[in-house]
Amino acid sequence: MDLGLKGKIIVVTGGAKGIGAAIARHLAAEGACPVIVDREEQASWELVEELREAGVAAGAYIGELSEPTNCREAVYYTSREYGRIDGLVNNAGINDGIGLEYGSPEEFMTSIRNNLLHYYCMAHYALPALRETQGSIVNISSKCAITGQGHTSAYAAAKGGQLALTREWAVELLKYGIRVNAIIPAEVSTPMYEAWINTFEHPEEKLHRINAKIPLGNRMTTAEEIANMVLFLLSERASHITGQHMYIDGGYVHLDRAIDAIANSINGTYGSLRLK
Ligand code: NAP
């Protein structure tokens, strides 16, 4: 399926690593030009070099997104350098564990700034350019917003805010033909995830227990599987989809966990009983 993304200029925040990097690579593979906005200078330029060496256009703007002026500059840079913006992927974020018991109002607000404010700022500053192209916005949220996680109030609030803004912007931007959707990942192996899993005393064991609870295949979602949906939503192929929250999680949030043992042991006793 041709997604029609060739030549499109797509801004990807947090595009240097993890899910954002997978999105940037997939965009490049479709002939689009990803513009990475990230605070990780080395990782950003390494990825840009990798893509350019493969013969595709790519760019980067290095900056800390919690500072609104950096969001504005990132958008201005992209418009100046490439002449247009066809899509915005708000993706940068960090699960920083600012909880109710272990946290403070100041830390809560800092985390909101790190995780939510720049989603607004990027969309705000990119809007004039997106109006011209009838571009599209994809917000990367988290299952945390739906299920909670414990000990991470600010991140959960930010992720919930992103889902609310997705609906709100979808309504506000109807008149411009700008579509806005959100993706809700659950467990995706990325540098951030690895850092989190390594905070446990027995990370391997913890990972094994998490995988066992993921209904489809007892495995984590790959960053590429998230990227596939992002590209589809950015493309004209999703021309009548807006205001949606898409779960890309192997059934983690919605499927009955009790069925897990049955569904995933089709060669075992439970499975054969069920298949008969
Ligand atoms: P990641 O591996 O840490 O990559 C994110 C990139 O964004 C990193 O380069 C990071 O830099 C950068 N970044 C983060 N905050 C930034 C800021 N304020 N300004 C500039 N750059 C910033 O993270 P990921 O796991 O790919 O997560 C991407 C998105 O998916 C996040 O919104 C996350 O909440 C969401 N998500 C992930 C999972 C998962 O299982 N991985 C699950 C649900 C939702 P640093 O390395 O310096 O932080």
Side-chain angles (χ1 to χ4, degrees):
M1 181 191 286
D2 180 8
L3 293 173
L5 289 170
K6 203 167 184 339
K8 303 282 185 194
I9 309 297
I10 312 289
V11 176
V12 184
T13 71
K17 294 185 198 165
I19 292 170
I23 295 167
R25 285 194 176 94
H26 274 49
L27 284 166
E30 292 292 321
C33 170
V35 180
I36 294 164
V37 182
D38 202 295
R39 62 187 167 204
E40 293 288 333
E41 186 162 9
Q42 193 181 338
S44 295
W45 287 117
E46 277 176 7
L47 182 50
V48 168
E49 280 311 307
E50 173 195 314
L51 299 178
R52 285 180 181 170
E53 274 171 23
V56 283
Y61 180 90
I62 311 304
E64 169 53 61
L65 284 155
S66 57
E67 186 49 61
T69 53
N70 287 338
C71 297
R72 192 186 61 204
E73 288 307 312
V75 168
Y76 286 178
Y77 164 81
T78 308
S79 294
R80 206 170 51 237
E81 218 42 43
Y82 299 96
R84 57 190 285 141
I85 298 178
D86 298 286
L88 167 66
V89 183
N90 274 322
N91 162 76
I94 185 159
N95 190 346
D96 47 12
I98 306 302
L100 201 50
E101 273 187 293
Y102 303 104
S104 66
E106 292 73 27
E107 287 172 309
F108 181 89
M109 286 313 295
T110 300
S111 175
I112 292 293
R113 209 179 161 92
N114 286 335
N115 283 301
L116 182 62
L117 179 62
H118 57 82
Y119 276 50
Y120 173 84
C121 291
M122 289 301 294
H124 173 72
Y125 291 120
L127 185 54
L130 291 171
R131 278 178 61 176
E132 281 181 25
T133 56
Q134 290 201 328
S136 174
I137 300 175
V138 177
N139 292 323
I140 308 295
S141 176
S142 166
K143 77 153 181 77
C144 231
I146 308 299
T147 62
Q149 181 185 296
H151 313 292
T152 195
S153 304
Y155 181 72
K159 292 293 163 190
Q162 292 162 10
L163 294 181
L165 288 176
T166 298
R167 289 259 152 84
E168 169 64 13
W169 296 346
V171 176
E172 183 170 341
L173 304 181
L174 282 173
K175 57 182 178 285
Y176 303 127
I178 296 175
R179 297 177 299 100
V180 189
N181 292 290
I183 286 186
I184 306 179
E187 314 285 342
V188 188
S189 183
T190 64
M192 179 173 83
Y193 197 93
E194 277 161 36
W196 174 74
I197 205 86
N198 284 326
T199 61
F200 293 91
E201 205 177 333
H202 303 292
E204 290 292 324
E205 194 183 312
K206 176 74 180 170
L207 198 55
H208 181 72
R209 275 190 277 127
I210 291 170
N211 280 338
K213 288 188 183 136
I214 299 173
L216 191 59
N218 292 141
R219 65 162 178 86
M220 299 178 79
T221 308
T222 65
E224 290 69 30
E225 287 169 324
I226 304 292
N228 285 337
M229 180 55 88
V230 172
L231 263 68
F232 174 69
L233 290 173
L234 288 170
S235 81
E236 270 304 304
R237 299 286 178 174
S239 51
H240 217 209
I241 302 177
T242 194
Q244 299 304 305
H245 300 165
M246 319 291 264
Y247 292 82
I248 316 298
D249 66 355
Y252 191 78
V253 171
H254 288 94
L255 300 192
D256 184 351
R257 305 275 174 89
I259 209 170
D260 189 50
I262 297 169
N264 290 311
S265 60
I266 48 173
N267 296 321
T269 320
Y270 283 127
S272 44
L273 281 175
R274 193 156 176 93
L275 288 171
K276 278 174 195 168

